[in-house]
Amino acid sequence: MAKKVADQLVETLWDAGVKRIYAVTGDSLNEVNDAVRRNGKMQWVHVRHEEAGAYAAAAEAELNGVACCAGSSGPGHVHLINGLYDANRSGAPVLAIASTMHTDEMGSDYFQETNTIKLFDDCSVYNQIATTPKQFPRMLQAALQHAYSKKGVAVIGMPGDVAMEDAADILTETSLLKQRPVVRPNDEELQSLAQLLNQHQRITLFCGIGCKEAHDEVVALAKKLNAPVGYSFRGKMYVQYDNPNEVGMTGLLGLPSAYHAMHESDLLVLLGTDFPYKDFMPESCGIIQIDEKPERLGRRAKLKMGLMGDIKHTLQALLPLLDQNQDDSFLRAQLKLYEKVKETQQTYVNDRGKKDNISPEYLAHTIDKLATDDAIFTVDTGMSCVWGARFIQATANRELLGSFNHGSMANAMPQAIGAAFARPNQQVIAFCGDGGLSMLLGDLATIVQYNLPIKVIVFDNRSLGMVKLEMEVAGLPDWQTDMYNPDFATVAMAMGMKGICIDEPDKVEQGIKEALAYQGPVLVHAKTNPNSLAMPPKIEFSQMKGYAITMGKMILNGRMDEVLDTVKSNYKHLKEVIR
């Protein structure tokens, strides 16, 4: 029997290192499904919603290098959009197969017809549709090459009739060509950079995801410059551990110490970060930025110097050119402040909460303490993301995934699916908000179907917590942020998972131990304090004023009990405000 285009697709993906396709089969995608069955090596992962499949593929791509998801005609590939936006903005090499109606029906407003070129144009680095068997292998290779080289989403439109036709041989390359070039500034630029660094004593480093493979080089640079090291959320897992100069995160989820170090320095060096919050950037010091993508240089702050290069090789070439900074007074001052910040953080952990109002800080701290050294964490956008940012501690082997650039709800659970497939021998823990989990609740069944040993921890604060806080600091009473939630543990058990409900602080440690020790999938429903807040490292007067106005309006509207609960829950923040 002649090889079909669908078979050609599956063979090419397998040779490129793609082990599975996350999808819901149907209609124009059925030929691809059958090709996977005939192949016998590749796996078809039947998710309940294509958005979950896109998130799972993005997680696998971040961990293993390249991954694939698919959606069938019209609604199927429309459902991919949110997860693909996230993957593209996160730099995850994902191939998305968008199957479509037959070519002879194109342009006729046929059933489930969509224009894949228009649909995916804003969330991809490559986006084409193959309408002949001879086009397909060439476009497939180009799509894989773009996804891998440009670190983003590549979309290939695949009409159902093309998928079932006989495959065609072509003269150009059909395999993914993987390469890892050394990219750094030229010698003259490095000399100028070294000269500028040697002229300053009060230097702070701020590191992002670009430092993923440069931990040792960052630490060596920090020691040579006697520089404190702050980091973004995406950079945390690769910079925090075994780093005597680290002073924590900054940004909306970060800590005052990193913000302070950046603003007290004479020179700030941005390493592999596209940190989006320009309001957290200092304006009174010089800024150097180094990034492998030159289009990112200078778009968050004015620069003294902007250089293109990957961080590891750039720092390896730079370090021999630098003088040892003999003055460590600036570093010691920032580390002293950081110790005070960590002491304040511990007060949140020590105040464990009460029945049905468990301190989320205590819960997150406990999970971090009991998790393995090589655990993979996924975090939903929102308050559970805050608790993950502040209480998950890095090791040399842990990973942390989230919707850090796109900022979508509901990402943690499907990303955990991809992580569990990608790294079957590592512990996978999802920090889920009650709002996020509710959005894609059906894919708990996917976890059960494939017996993935994921530990889903639901931080149930009965509200859209981050939105509630946003409204309050803007001076608006929170409105339509409350959540009616089922007993998530019971829902999980109905789906075939082990379910654990934790509603008292005294049950937290034992409940988490039980969940982590269990061999299969577990959902832990933890009832956390809805009034626990996350204060940013930079508190504006307008935020305090807005918050005061909100509390006043709530009192006038008869919500005095809630105001008192909020004040009681957050008395600890007074230390941060006063400092």
Side-chain angles (χ1 to χ4, degrees), residues 108-294:
S108 66
D109 196 23
Y110 189 68
F111 177 65
Q112 295 186 327
E113 180 176 359
T114 53
N115 186 323
T116 59
I117 301 298
K118 288 184 178 180
L119 186 65
F120 295 105
D121 189 56
D122 196 42
C123 63
S124 62
V125 295
Y126 181 89
N127 180 23
Q128 295 294 335
I129 182 168
T131 56
T132 70
K134 202 153 191 174
Q135 278 182 313
F136 185 79
R138 190 173 186 179
M139 286 185 175
L140 178 59
Q141 195 278 339
L144 287 167
Q145 204 67 49
H146 275 75
Y148 184 82
S149 302
K150 292 183 177 290
K151 297 182 180 178
V153 170
V155 180
I156 183 161
M158 188 178 192
D161 57 328
V162 173
M164 66 177 67
E165 291 190 39
D166 291 344
D169 292 326
I170 60 172
L171 297 176
T172 53
E173 184 59 60
T174 58
S175 301
L176 170 61
L177 305 174
K178 297 182 180 180
Q179 68 294 309
R180 298 195 65 186
V182 173
V183 180
R184 67 165 179 80
N186 63 45
D187 292 346
E188 184 177 338
E189 290 172 329
L190 285 171
Q191 288 287 353
S192 298
L193 174 59
Q195 184 178 8
L196 185 57
L197 291 170
N198 286 333
Q199 291 171 355
H200 290 80
Q201 304 295 311
R202 298 159 59 91
I203 301 173
T204 297
L205 308 182
F206 184 66
C207 305
I209 185 67
C211 296
K212 182 173 183 176
E213 298 180 356
H215 171 271
D216 292 350
E217 288 77 12
V218 168
V219 172
L221 177 65
K223 288 180 177 179
K224 200 152 198 178
L225 300 175
N226 271 320
V229 180
Y231 40 81
S232 68
F233 199 174
R234 292 196 75 191
K236 176 175 181 172
M237 288 294 108
Y238 315 112
V239 174
Q240 182 189 44
Y241 72 92
D242 294 340
N243 186 345
N245 290 25
E246 68 101 0
V247 293
M249 282 175 51
T250 190
L252 293 175
L253 313 184
L255 302 173
S257 46
Y259 180 87
H260 188 271
M262 291 167 66
H263 283 73
E264 291 297 312
S265 60
D266 296 325
L267 191 65
L268 173 65
V269 184
L270 307 177
L271 297 173
T273 178
D274 194 33
F275 181 73
Y277 306 112
K278 59 182 178 58
D279 292 339
F280 287 82
M281 288 291 177
E283 298 178 0
S284 59
C285 73
I287 299 177
I288 297 169
Q289 185 178 4
I290 305 171
D291 201 287
E292 65 181 359
K293 292 191 175 182

Side-chain angles (χ1 to χ4, degrees), residues 412-424:
M413 186 262 287
Q415 284 180 329
I417 292 173
F421 275 114
R423 303 278 183 87

Side-chain angles (χ1 to χ4, degrees), residues 382-418:
M383 298 306 286
S384 55
C385 192
V386 176
W387 314 134
R390 295 188 178 179
F391 294 97
I392 295 173
Q393 300 301 306
T395 68
N397 301 307
R398 283 181 172 180
E399 298 277 0
L400 181 67
L401 304 174
S403 184
F404 300 129
N405 295 77
H406 190 47
S408 174
M409 289 176 63
N411 60 283
M413 186 262 287
Q415 284 180 329
I417 292 173

